[in-house]
Amino acid sequence: MNASMGPTLQTQGFYDRSTGTVSYVVWDAATRAAAVIDPVLDFDSKSGHTATRSADGLLAFLHGKELRLAWILETHAHADHLSAARTLQERAGGRIAIGENIRQVQTTFKTLYNLGREFLPDGRQFDHLFADGESFILGDLEATAMLVPGHTPADMAYRIGDAVFVGDTLFMPDVGTARADFPGGDARTLYRSIRRLLDLPGATRMFVCHDYPPQGREPCWETTVREQRERNVHVHDGITEDAFVAMRTARDASLEAPSLILPSLQVNIRGGQLPEREANGVAYLRIPLNALRTVGSMPARHGSA
């Protein structure tokens, strides 16, 4: 857990070792208004049990700092963990938000999971859908939602104060960039989204959503635009679009599907809402058999970088 501070923006990262995910509490020091970015709901795929250990940590931190939760921001519909957005909202309030292109992702996965008429792929499962470039307020801080597709069609980055939270688009410089072979993903689009982020001022603090540290390095999640431009192993300055696309395409072909992709997406396209309990009092997740290839080019082989 690392902390950092700008003039009025304060940030606390929470690293989940089981999924490599970094969730953030971000707040305005002047007003105590806070946002949580990419919260994790613990899920044991072997037993089918969920738990709220990660969310409880976020809530304890909010309470300890006397923060008011205004926003629960998702950078995209994650394929590697279930979202704890609803858990946080039920206990602390706040508006759950994501990019407006989530509708495209919902349409794709409604087909995969054969969801019934009760699931409408129109984004209503979220409290707010951000358009590209839309401004919003966190206390006295102005924030901007940035559409950065390529990993998925709906990826968003959130620029708040002197920092930008980039989701899965970029990782730490020694890890590289997100994969682009998920349904609706595209390596060329991803490159252009990354260059948009790297056009921000060099001193902009950049916070990543995942870290998969090389052997010998502890997890970390804060870098700068300048460091990414100089040292990112996949997309530093001088790497052309064509070279990046060739690298990303070859690399993605060697990656397995994330282990929680099938459980997580059916929850995350619902804004973190778990399935309703059935007549026997048990809720069920759907696992489509032999069907994932019908909605995209996902290889049948793990990894995100």
Side-chain angles (χ1 to χ4, degrees):
M1 190 166 62
N2 292 348
S4 57
M5 180 184 299
T8 58
L9 174 71
Q10 299 193 36
T11 298
Q12 185 76 47
F14 295 77
Y15 185 70
D16 177 53
R17 290 186 179 274
S18 65
T19 65
T21 303
V22 188
S23 304
Y24 295 97
V25 177
V26 182
W27 72 99
D28 173 29
T31 66
R32 318 304 291 175
V36 168
I37 303 174
D38 291 334
V40 173
L41 180 69
D42 305 289
F43 179 69
D44 181 358
S45 61
K46 295 179 180 178
S47 67
H49 278 264
T50 62
T52 61
R53 291 183 300 274
S54 296
D56 292 343
L58 298 172
L59 290 163
F61 186 84
L62 289 165
H63 179 74
K65 292 288 187 180
E66 299 182 339
L67 303 177
R68 172 180 56 85
L69 185 57
W71 291 99
I72 303 165
L73 304 174
E74 299 282 10
T75 56
H76 62 295
H78 299 269
D80 45 27
H81 68 266
L82 280 66
S83 170
R86 293 299 179 98
T87 299
L88 290 178
Q89 187 178 61
E90 289 168 0
R91 299 187 189 179
R95 302 175 70 192
I96 301 173
I98 200 167
E100 62 183 356
N101 284 4
I102 189 63
R103 301 184 187 103
Q104 182 178 340
V105 177
Q106 288 177 324
T107 298
T108 296
F109 287 99
K110 176 174 182 173
T111 299
L112 175 66
Y113 293 112
N114 195 30
L115 301 179
R117 294 181 180 178
E118 74 281 358
F119 180 80
L120 298 177
D122 58 5
R124 68 178 60 192
Q125 299 81 4
F126 299 83
D127 298 312
H128 186 78
L129 302 181
F130 284 115
D132 183 28
E134 182 177 347
S135 295
F136 62 104
I137 299 298
L138 180 64
D140 290 338
L141 296 172
E142 183 171 337
T144 304
M146 301 173 62
L147 177 65
V148 286
H151 175 57
T152 79
D155 278 63
M156 301 297 291
Y158 298 105
R159 190 178 182 189
I160 308 173
D162 68 336
V164 61
F165 299 83
V166 298
D168 283 11
T169 305
L170 280 160
F171 300 134
M172 294 301 290
D174 60 348
V175 177
T177 67
R179 64 195 297 168
D181 61 335
F182 288 171
D186 180 79
R188 200 166 296 278
T189 301
L190 177 61
Y191 179 88
R192 295 170 185 174
S193 293
I194 290 170
R195 294 314 309 181
R196 183 183 183 193
L197 291 168
L198 298 186
D199 282 341
L200 294 173
T204 303
R205 296 184 298 153
M206 181 176 286
F207 294 90
V208 301
C209 173
H210 288 283
D211 190 37
Y212 308 102
Q215 187 173 6
R217 174 169 75 70
E218 286 297 308
C220 55
W221 43 85
E222 180 179 353
T223 179
T224 65
V225 167
R226 182 177 294 110
E227 288 172 349
Q228 292 282 23
R229 294 187 63 160
E230 292 175 351
R231 300 193 295 108
N232 187 286
V233 294
H234 293 167
V235 71
H236 59 75
D237 284 353
I239 299 293
T240 66
E241 182 174 317
D242 286 344
F244 175 81
V245 170
M247 177 281 300
R248 193 69 265 173
T249 301
R251 188 173 180 86
D252 290 350
S254 71
L255 298 177
E256 295 180 350
S259 59
L260 294 183
I261 184 171
L262 290 174
S264 64
L265 280 169
Q266 60 194 289
V267 171
N268 296 345
I269 61 173
R270 293 182 169 104
Q273 180 65 56
L274 294 174
E276 294 291 333
R277 295 177 185 271
E278 298 191 10
N280 63 353
V282 178
Y284 292 87
L285 294 170
R286 293 187 171 206
I287 301 297
L289 300 179
N290 306 314
L292 194 56
R293 288 179 178 273
T294 67
V295 296
S297 58
M298 177 82 66
R301 288 182 301 268
H302 180 73
S304 295

